[in-house]
Amino acid sequence: MALWGGRFSTGPNDAVAKLSRSVHFDWRLAPYDVRVNIAHVAGLRRAGVLSELDAAEITRALKELSQEIASGEFSYIDSDEDVHSAIERGLVAKLGEIGGAFRAGRSRNDLVVTDFKLYLIDHLLEVAHETIELANTIDATATQYIDLVAPGFTHLQHAQPILFSHELAKHSHALLRDVDRMKDWLSRNSISPLGSGALAGSALVPNPEIIAAELAFQGVTRNSIDAVSDRDFVAEALFIFAMLGVHLSRIGEEFTIWNTQEFGWVTLDDAFSTGSSIMPQKKNPDIAELARGKSGRFIGNLTTLLVTLKGLPFAYNRDLQEDKEPIFDSVEELLTLLPALRGMVATARFNGEKISESVLGGHALATEIADFLVRGGTPFAQAHEISGRAVALAEGKGVEVHQLTAAEFAGIDPRLSTELQEVLTASAAIESRISINGTSTKSVTAQLGQLEAKIRGYSSWIASERKRFSGMMGA
Ligand code: ARG
């Protein structure tokens, strides 16, 4: 159904109708559109634009429509331009002429932003929930491996011994930053543009604050031109999703490497792996690879929107209709990917023997030699140099640096006394790293406890937001 036409001599050409149509994707906004319209009708009633009777009739029909949308009984048809026109068609079918009375004092320009914000609040909370679930699964796995030592890498080369817990838990920290960004997004973007009309404000609804309060919003925008043109909230959400996608891709990459025959650190559960159509023996880490691969589209979706917005004149332009598909795609892909990745992590079996086996490879204790000298009063640059000479000697002999004999150490420098042997073990190296962010058992145990507390905090934030939001949505 067309929401315009009075000044036109003909309807749109078929190709034009096809081009401008958005209902096949913006139908996802239908439940929010109905809810916004219910609040708007109440505003029109308060303003005396709609009689009590008409407002009650329209509200009843909108609620009916809401149920029919939920059950699938009412949906869009080919001739609908967008979700807003489809819903008006449904209303007119129920009420006749008065079905068109409800859109006084607002425009699709402020309506679509309102609907989209509500959709995003709702779905951002879902993504946040799934992200926390993954962080929690990783945290639980990390807790399980608190006793396991592992080689830590820089440049994919052995660097220093660490606890495997520490290695795993780093991902939870990154994921919780994403959740924190979602929380921050909500605190900034939960404001309603209703009352902005097409661009100049509304002459018929004087109190959009009341309508905003009836929806899930915490305030009202203060410039109508900005409000109908602003898509910062979309770009911010797409950035958060892209960043999250990048974090997931790094988890994916790590598991892919750990799952190689060369590493053999992890065995993925059959239910979370895939096979090859030609090589019967194959068991591939496709979930981890898809986590890596999907990050491309999340970044692409952010780029798509930013390019659409760049240089756009004010206020509303139809270009802005292109804002939705990138979000729908990122949201839907993330809500598919996150549970799959969580399942993969939860069911993975780690091969502790293999993980700890090479912990001292690559002269991983060389830093301990330098630190030992510094503790004895040697300036670090000199200590670094002496330790480097020890590595060179070990390399020449084909052994690891910690395997040099007391005589060989003393030959390099007399300060490399026999007490040095005591610090040249993986556990001594690990347990000496007692800084608040370090890898000692004490530090990691405290860090895991803090992670759990954070996870609980974010979970209760999500629960309370969801409750507030679903209350507003009439659920
Ligand atoms: N489907 C449109 C969109 O998503 C709704 C707003 C249309 N406004 C207009 N002035 N044509 O942006």
Side-chain angles (χ1 to χ4, degrees), residues 131-146 164-176 251 255 342 345-346 350 443-456:
T131 307
I132 287 181
E133 292 286 299
L134 175 61
N136 197 26
T137 299
I138 294 173
D139 183 63
T141 314
T143 306
Q144 233 178 300
Y145 288 98
I146 190 73
F164 190 58
S165 288
H166 204 46
E167 187 79 288
L168 285 171
K170 67 183 186 241
H171 292 303
S172 292
H173 285 272
L175 295 172
L176 291 188
I251 297 175
F255 273 74
R342 180 176 81 232
V345 175
F350 294 93
S443 301
V444 172
T445 306
Q447 293 154 16
L448 290 174
Q450 282 153 4
L451 263 183
E452 278 157 33
K454 267 193 175 188
I455 287 171
R456 277 197 302 275

Side-chain angles (χ1 to χ4, degrees), residues 22 26 82 84 108-109 112 316 318 321 324:
S22 58
D26 68 19
D82 56 20
H84 323 293
R108 277 184 296 169
N109 297 355
V112 74
Y316 180 85
R318 195 59 178 271
Q321 182 167 288
K324 288 171 212 62

Side-chain angles (χ1 to χ4, degrees), residues 357-368:
E357 173 183 281
S358 62
V359 66
L360 296 181
H363 310 290
L365 296 180
T367 312
E368 306 319 300

Side-chain angles (χ1 to χ4, degrees), residues 263-391:
F263 259 79
W265 283 20
V266 68
T267 307
L268 300 181
D269 192 82
D270 278 1
F272 289 91
S273 328
T274 45
S276 157
S277 59
I278 177 168
M279 298 167 282
Q281 86 284 10
K282 290 282 276 181
K283 181 172 154 187
N284 295 326
D286 285 23
I287 295 168
E289 291 166 34
L290 283 167
R292 209 172 49 190
K294 297 263 182 209
S295 58
R297 65 198 285 172
F298 300 135
I299 296 164
N301 287 338
L302 170 62
T303 310
T304 298
L305 182 81
L306 289 175
V307 176
T308 303
L309 296 181
K310 182 191 168 297
L312 206 62
F314 286 86
Y316 180 85
N317 301 273
R318 195 59 178 271
D319 315 45
L320 290 173
Q321 182 167 288
E322 294 293 312
D323 63 354
K324 288 171 212 62
E325 282 166 294
I327 283 282
F328 295 150
D329 183 65
S330 289
V331 162
E332 285 161 23
E333 289 295 330
L334 280 168
L335 290 178
T336 307
L337 174 59
L338 283 162
L341 202 57
R342 180 176 81 232
M344 185 196 81
V345 175
T347 56
R349 276 176 295 113
F350 294 93
N351 184 347
E353 228 166 84
K354 198 88 172 123
I355 291 171
S356 59
E357 173 183 281
S358 62
V359 66
L360 296 181
H363 310 290
L365 296 180
T367 312
E368 306 319 300
I369 301 174
D371 285 358
F372 170 83
L373 288 168
V374 168
R375 266 186 243 113
T378 308
F380 184 75
Q382 220 183 358
H384 187 283
E385 172 67 27
I386 295 169
S387 174
R389 290 214 302 275
V391 171

